[in-house]
Amino acid sequence: MTSNPIPMLNRLLLILLCAFPFSLSAQPIRITLTEATMNEPGNRAVLVSNQYGVLRYYKPLSKKDAKNEAFSFEANQRLGERLSLTLVREVDGGGIFGFENTTYCNLANGALIDAPAEEGGETAYESVEFSISGVRGAEEVIVLSPVEEGAEYRIDRQRLLLNFRALASADIFVLFKLNGSEDYLYYYGPGGKANRIDLDIADLKSGVVTRDIALPSMHFWYGDIKGYQSGSDKPCYLYNSSQLKALRPQNSIRVYLPPGLEWKHFDLELFNLGTDKFGFYNRYLNKLPDSLGAVGFNPLLADHQSKAFRFQTTAEEIGQFYAISYTYSLANQMPASWQVYGLVEKAGEVDFILPDLPEDLLEALPELRVLPEPAAITKSLFRCARCEDYDFRLEPAKLQQENWRLEKGLVERAQFLEF
């Protein structure tokens, strides 16, 4: 009588599974933190977890880990799970502390975690003094260029005196609505050094060009529009909400352009604050748009808890991005947040649980013990106009970088909810 070979084969397979469990049940993925990321202030830990919050890798970080080189490691990814990386950063407020944690979801082998914020950008300010003779009175003076601590002007003996500290990396653009004039006169010139500008009223130019851009809803809108001339890397601020004192709810904005200039491109960044948030980031090569259009996708969460969230996705959202931001209230009023970024990979449902933090990390950063009690949560959905060549799973932090958002053309819709 011949024996049945099936049980013997099953037994052999069981032996092989027990002998080589790693090769069949897990596969390592390699992740690299760039030099810029390693040198970000406040790094305290890097963790890798799956979608259920189970840790697969943990490494405490300290100041001695900040060095002029990248850091690479491997984490085991088991069958059926998706791995996410979390950076824990402490915010030092001079002896009082907060935290800003960031999680990037569903990473692929070879993921590169770059600095979460755009590097560089000159922030030096220089004194600028205007003295304009022949001015009897002024109804309004608007310095569209970014200034430090505001601008002040006065009329003294038929002379307009204007003082401010301007951003050195931007051109100077000032609008003057003088008594007896229906239109703005303007001054436009290069910045970058200490300036004393002596003019006669006849030296101010007329003919400033205005463009109105329709917005999707009536809100307080914040942000700016910068124009770049051909052959120059210095922006001219054409709209700057922080300099327009009469900020009010509006469904359109007015842009001011010095006439006769050849513009290489325009960078637009506009957003509103509140429970229903819109955000627009785009770079226009030829001209500014007449309207930013409606933002129709639904940002609502299906469910949210202190360490977990869930929301529905549609086929239309495949390939787009999301962000979930938990905010916390610390007694010392220091910043306290945990942001989660991810890619919509399929229609259906996104379900995610924040990782449990090791006890030694909680002991080192006691402010993190507030994590079970968030104050609010914000869910954002992003749509990208020019992201065909971008793989979030390999370079997730690009989604946070302002210049990248402008280059790619991102639209954001967000919903704020309190716990």
Side-chain angles (χ1 to χ4, degrees), residues 372-383:
E373 300 177 357
I377 185 171
T378 301
K379 183 216 170 181
S380 299
L381 278 177
F382 301 93
R383 281 185 178 167

Side-chain angles (χ1 to χ4, degrees), residues 230-247:
S230 298
S232 174
D233 60 354
K234 283 193 172 184
C236 172
Y237 281 73
L238 310 173
Y239 175 83
N240 186 349
S241 65
S242 64
Q243 305 305 101
L244 298 171
K245 296 181 179 179
L247 191 64

Side-chain angles (χ1 to χ4, degrees), residues 230-282:
S230 298
S232 174
D233 60 354
K234 283 193 172 184
C236 172
Y237 281 73
L238 310 173
Y239 175 83
N240 186 349
S241 65
S242 64
Q243 305 305 101
L244 298 171
K245 296 181 179 179
L247 191 64
R248 64 189 186 280
Q250 52 193 342
N251 57 12
S252 67
I253 61 168
R254 175 159 292 180
V255 182
Y256 301 92
L257 299 94
L261 301 179
E262 183 180 350
W263 299 103
K264 179 174 59 175
H265 65 262
F266 302 94
D267 283 353
L268 179 149
E269 181 176 355
L270 288 173
F271 60 92
N272 72 293
L273 300 177
T275 57
D276 190 13
K277 179 184 175 183
F278 300 86
F280 297 90
Y281 309 85
N282 216 330

Side-chain angles (χ1 to χ4, degrees), residues 25 31 44 63 73-74 109 137 161 188 223 246 258 291 388 396 419:
S25 63
I31 300 173
R44 297 304 300 267
K63 291 182 179 180
F73 64 94
E74 290 186 346
N109 184 38
L161 304 176
Y188 175 68
S291 173
E388 297 83 0
F419 276 90

